Amino acid sequence: MIIKKLSDVPPVSMPGYDQVKKQIVIGPDDGSEEIVLRYFRLEPGGASPHHTHDFPHLVKIESGTGTVLDEAGHERPLQQGDYIYIADNEVHQFKNTASEPFNFICIVPKRGEG
């Protein structure tokens, strides 16, 4: 069994992700051979690229407000307590639309964090 606090995991910047930090909270280094639990912090004005992956995402908004942009360019508002499922190859982009940090948990298969 592994028990961690978010503060135990150093945040890292991501190339191509404006004002975004990522922490791998639980992953292969902890013995998780199938899934990876990641924590993202988007600073005000921060955003991920408008992109896609060949793996699904499970997302839970922890704090702040933002949007998720779909393939057609429609923005849907997000706030604390929202849950999102992003299917394989579904185009998406997360954006912080507020003056406070926008934080969320993102769970992916191990191949999504390689």
Side-chain angles (χ1 to χ4, degrees):
M1 180 183 302
I2 303 290
I3 299 173
K4 287 184 172 178
K5 295 192 180 310
L6 187 61
S7 59
D8 295 336
V9 182
V12 295
S13 296
M14 300 177 61
Y17 288 66
D18 186 34
Q19 298 292 322
V20 177
K21 298 281 187 182
K22 175 175 79 170
Q23 293 164 276
I24 298 176
V25 182
I26 303 289
D29 290 348
D30 303 298
S32 181
E33 294 301 322
E34 294 185 30
I35 55 175
V36 180
L37 188 148
R38 310 174 308 172
Y39 191 92
F40 287 88
R41 177 183 181 98
L42 281 64
E43 296 298 335
S48 66
H50 198 221
H51 66 291
T52 185
H53 308 282
D54 66 345
F55 53 86
H57 299 51
L58 300 175
V59 177
K60 179 185 182 278
I61 307 304
E62 290 288 289
S63 64
T65 57
T67 61
V68 64
L69 184 71
D70 66 19
E71 185 169 10
H74 299 112
E75 283 190 332
R76 299 190 50 195
L78 298 172
Q79 63 184 1
Q80 182 178 356
D82 285 344
Y83 295 84
I84 303 102
Y85 170 67
I86 300 172
D88 297 29
N89 301 307
E90 185 173 5
V91 178
H92 60 284
Q93 178 183 36
F94 289 98
K95 293 181 183 179
N96 182 342
T97 58
S99 59
E100 301 292 326
F102 179 48
N103 300 298
F104 56 89
I105 293 169
C106 180
I107 300 170
V108 297
K110 181 182 173 186
R111 65 188 165 93
E113 189 58 52

